Amino acid sequence: PALAMSLPLAGLRVLDLSRLLPGPFATLVLADLGADVVRVEPLDGGDWLRDMTPPGGGDAGAFHALNRNKRSIAIDLRRPGGAAAFLRLARGADAVVESFRPGVLDRLGVGWEALRRENRRIVLCSISGYGQDGPYAQRAGHDLDYCAIAGVLAANGTPARPAPIGVQVADVAGGAWPAAVGVLAALLGRDRTGEGAHVDVSMTEGALAMLTLPLGLAFSSGRPVARGEELLDGGAACYGVYRTRDDRFVALGALEPKFFRAFCVAAGRPELAPRQHEGGHGPRAELEALFASRTRDEWTAFAAEHDVCLAPVLEGDEPRADPQLAARGAFVDVPLPRSGHAMPAVATPIRVRGAARPIARPGPDPGEHTEVVLLEAGFTRSEIAALREAGIVGPERPSGSSGRFA
């Protein structure tokens, strides 16, 4: 379509073997930038996020949020014919993204060496918990475990105890974003060398990267990171979260002396400014009492009038109504096939000036585009029929399909 051609990654084809969050978020970034992302799913229903529906049934919002603007093909890679069909698809692909444990692709017959034999220019991106090698490579884990090993979990919480982080740091910041960057970097390198590459993304190491600044500060000070005592983790009064009179919260980020001084003067407490780092923490009790004297909305109005690094802590659905996020188009409406309604989803946070933004389409049914993708790859209809009869590929339109992307 003309709209898609204006996007920077138009013409790029990505085969996505991943499930759940890290891989699908990485390929969502690529899809929203114009790539043709084809989910390659098993015949048993595909991505488990489809099963995360609300009580009583309905649309799986998490799946559609992560898999909008993608297509789906169903192939049983455990069968020899399935591996051969996938490798044939890979001949015309630019990249493959997967998130199995190390070695699984090789056992299926579609690993890095097999892919290279079919297509010397292909890029394989492998996202795993601990990386493709090392003593932990075969360990099971989730975001919490990767953050624990990386030291990120220990940096979150109170001095008495670390606490789970409310968002998936290792999955998204540590896995998805490095994967998207790695794929694009390898494709750029391919333009120079003519050769693809195997990108190895460890979510644990990606999470560790979030500690670049704290560890740098700690190394220079000669002491390890101490939870709840650092400048940026609530240890400093000038950089923290405060309860307001209406039992809500605001975030004060007046780290530089000029901003803290401006806040104290504007709030009528100029005598607090010289005490910003008093005792290593600053005037916390005084600031707690000060913030408790006004409501969150009153402090929000105050922040709009003064350049002091102060913001309301938005909760629940409040970010959707924020004027800055609304003006930037930070949310997109994704149609839901079952209900016929649309749900808000987070837009890919990359703005390419002059490029049109993609129209948000629902996530695909499992195997919804099997036949059309195989035809695009050069399979004949008789070959597709034989694959289907052998139970290697699924039907193009499973029961209940909406016929999207036809």
Side-chain angles (χ1 to χ4, degrees):
L3 176 62
M5 290 306 294
S6 66
L7 294 167
L9 297 185
L12 193 76
R13 173 162 290 187
V14 179
L15 303 178
D16 183 3
L17 288 162
S18 66
R19 299 186 184 185
L20 299 175
L21 177 54
F25 187 97
T27 57
L28 173 65
V29 172
L30 303 178
D32 277 356
L33 290 172
D36 175 20
V37 175
V38 179
R39 301 294 313 272
V40 182
E41 306 188 78
L43 274 62
D44 61 0
D47 197 318
W48 304 311
L49 282 181
R50 287 192 182 90
D51 298 329
M52 296 181 66
T53 57
D59 291 291
F63 177 80
H64 291 289
L66 285 164
N67 292 285
R68 61 180 187 264
N69 300 329
K70 301 178 185 178
R71 301 194 287 172
S72 173
I73 180 171
I75 302 179
D76 188 349
L77 294 178
R78 295 168 297 181
R79 296 173 178 266
F86 178 80
L87 291 174
R88 189 166 165 185
L89 285 175
R91 294 175 192 169
D94 296 283
V96 173
V97 176
E98 62 97 5
S99 57
F100 295 111
R101 291 198 207 189
V104 170
L105 277 196
D106 289 329
R107 291 195 293 273
L108 291 171
V110 294
W112 171 234
E113 294 302 329
L115 288 168
R116 288 190 71 209
R117 285 194 294 270
E118 296 293 331
N119 181 355
R120 299 289 295 186
R121 292 174 56 82
I122 202 161
V123 170
L124 171 63
C125 179
S126 298
I127 307 171
S128 62
Y130 300 105
Q132 295 298 298
D133 52 22
Y136 298 169
Q138 294 299 324
R139 285 190 184 182
H142 273 297
D143 191 282
L144 192 68
D145 307 301
Y146 311 142
C147 286
I149 293 295
V152 172
L153 192 63
N156 185 72
T158 67
R161 163 176 199 161
I165 304 167
V167 293
Q168 284 66 52
V169 170
D171 283 356
V172 178
W177 281 112
V181 172
V183 167
L184 296 177
L187 291 173
L188 186 63
R190 183 185 74 175
D191 288 343
R192 295 195 308 272
T193 67
E195 295 279 338
H198 186 184
V199 178
D200 175 5
V201 174
S202 158
M203 287 184 274
T204 301
E205 293 166 37
L208 177 63
M210 305 299 290
L211 288 176
T212 299
L213 178 61
L215 288 178
L217 293 171
F219 292 153
S220 64
S221 68
R223 65 171 182 82
V225 175
R227 181 176 57 254
E229 300 292 326
E230 302 299 323
L231 185 64
L232 302 179
D233 70 354
C238 62
Y239 197 88
V241 176
Y242 290 92
R243 188 183 300 272
T244 58
R245 191 176 70 200
D246 54 345
D247 207 29
R248 307 190 81 173
F249 298 92
V250 292
L252 178 66
L255 194 60
E256 294 86 352
K258 69 174 183 178
F259 287 123
F260 188 65
R261 185 183 309 110
F263 169 77
C264 294
V265 170
R269 297 296 303 274
E271 76 280 4
L272 297 180
R275 300 172 55 194
Q276 181 175 5
H277 298 296
E278 182 180 73
H281 297 283
R284 182 175 302 280
E286 291 85 345
L287 289 178
E288 288 177 348
L290 176 60
F291 281 111
S293 68
R294 305 187 194 186
T295 66
R296 189 193 71 171
D297 289 347
E298 288 172 337
W299 282 116
T300 301
F302 171 91
E305 296 176 7
H306 305 283
D307 191 28
V308 295
C309 300
L310 180 68
V313 176
L314 301 183
E315 302 193 39
D317 291 334
E318 289 182 320
R320 288 174 53 197
D322 181 77
Q324 173 66 23
L325 296 178
R328 293 277 296 171
F331 292 88
V332 295
D333 290 327
V334 179
L336 296 176
R338 291 188 183 181
S339 67
H341 299 134
M343 59 165 273
V346 177
T348 297
I350 298 173
R351 304 287 183 267
V352 180
R353 291 192 182 276
R357 299 182 66 184
I359 298 172
R361 298 180 175 90
D365 289 332
E368 181 177 340
H369 309 97
T370 298
E371 186 162 322
V372 67
V373 171
L374 290 175
L375 288 170
E376 291 169 358
F379 287 79
T380 65
R381 293 192 182 277
S382 60
E383 286 177 317
I384 297 171
L387 289 171
R388 185 171 292 129
E389 185 176 354
I392 293 171
V393 303
E396 183 180 9
R397 292 288 190 270
S399 176
S401 169
S402 63
R404 300 179 299 278
F405 294 83

